[in-house]
Amino acid sequence: MNKDETYLYVCSTAEGRIFRYRRRGDGSLGHKEPYGPKLGKTIDDQSIGAIRQLDKDDRAQLGYCDGIIFDRTGNLWITLPFANKVVVLTPDLQLLTAYHDPDGRVVNMPTNMAWDRFNPNIMYLVSRGSNTIVRALAQGA
């Protein structure tokens, strides 16, 4: 949810998009609406095996999303596991690349994220491909 809890945000992995639903007073949700641009290339019914066979330059263009988290300034951070990227969707819906590790040396298949509760500039990022958690300084968070 966003800071004032008026919307629920979700990843549509196969579509490479973020959607949101307005939260109503009674707790129900309104209609699905796109939030921001498409995050990169997606192919209908593309299998994980086919994705893994792509070279790193082709994978870098993929927009399959997984984890999302807001920072304190309203930016939405999004993991793109197959691209080895973390992107940021700003409040004015600009899409920026925050981190990209094409070879997966430090971050390999990023999935989920969490902010350090004592230092909001520190992010913990799950690197599923290497079974590690990466501690990162998130500039401007």
Side-chain angles (χ1 to χ4, degrees), residues 5-123:
E5 299 184 351
T6 54
Y7 287 96
L8 173 69
Y9 292 78
V10 297
C11 290
S12 179
T13 303
E15 294 177 84
R17 297 207 58 139
I18 303 298
F19 291 96
R20 70 181 184 175
Y21 299 82
R22 180 172 285 285
R23 186 171 170 250
R24 297 179 178 143
D26 65 1
S28 66
L29 299 174
H31 296 289
K32 175 172 100 171
E33 59 184 75
Y35 184 74
K38 188 167 180 178
L39 302 170
K41 183 178 177 183
T42 59
I43 298 171
D44 289 343
D45 298 320
Q46 187 173 33
S47 70
I48 291 174
I51 292 170
R52 289 187 173 155
Q53 290 179 355
L54 296 172
D55 66 36
K56 67 181 178 184
D57 293 331
D58 288 333
R59 282 194 320 271
Q61 305 306 311
L62 296 177
Y64 300 111
C65 48
D66 188 59
I68 57 175
I69 191 170
F70 278 98
D71 65 22
R72 66 180 184 250
T73 62
N75 295 307
L76 183 62
W77 294 67
I78 307 160
T79 59
L80 304 179
F82 297 114
N84 288 338
K85 281 185 187 178
V86 177
V87 296
V88 176
L89 191 54
T90 65
D92 61 352
L93 303 181
Q94 292 182 41
L95 185 63
L96 309 171
T97 299
Y99 185 79
H100 184 209
D101 186 357
D103 295 313
R105 290 191 178 123
V106 176
V107 174
N108 187 330
M109 289 193 72
T111 55
N112 297 312
M113 301 162 284
W115 295 109
D116 186 298
R117 77 184 235 206
F118 300 110
N119 184 342
N121 294 316
I122 302 287
M123 172 188 283

Side-chain angles (χ1 to χ4, degrees), residues 114-134:
W115 295 109
D116 186 298
R117 77 184 235 206
F118 300 110
N119 184 342
N121 294 316
I122 302 287
M123 172 188 283
Y124 296 95
L125 176 65
V126 174
S127 178
R128 183 172 175 223
S130 59
N131 292 318
T132 60
I133 296 175
V134 176

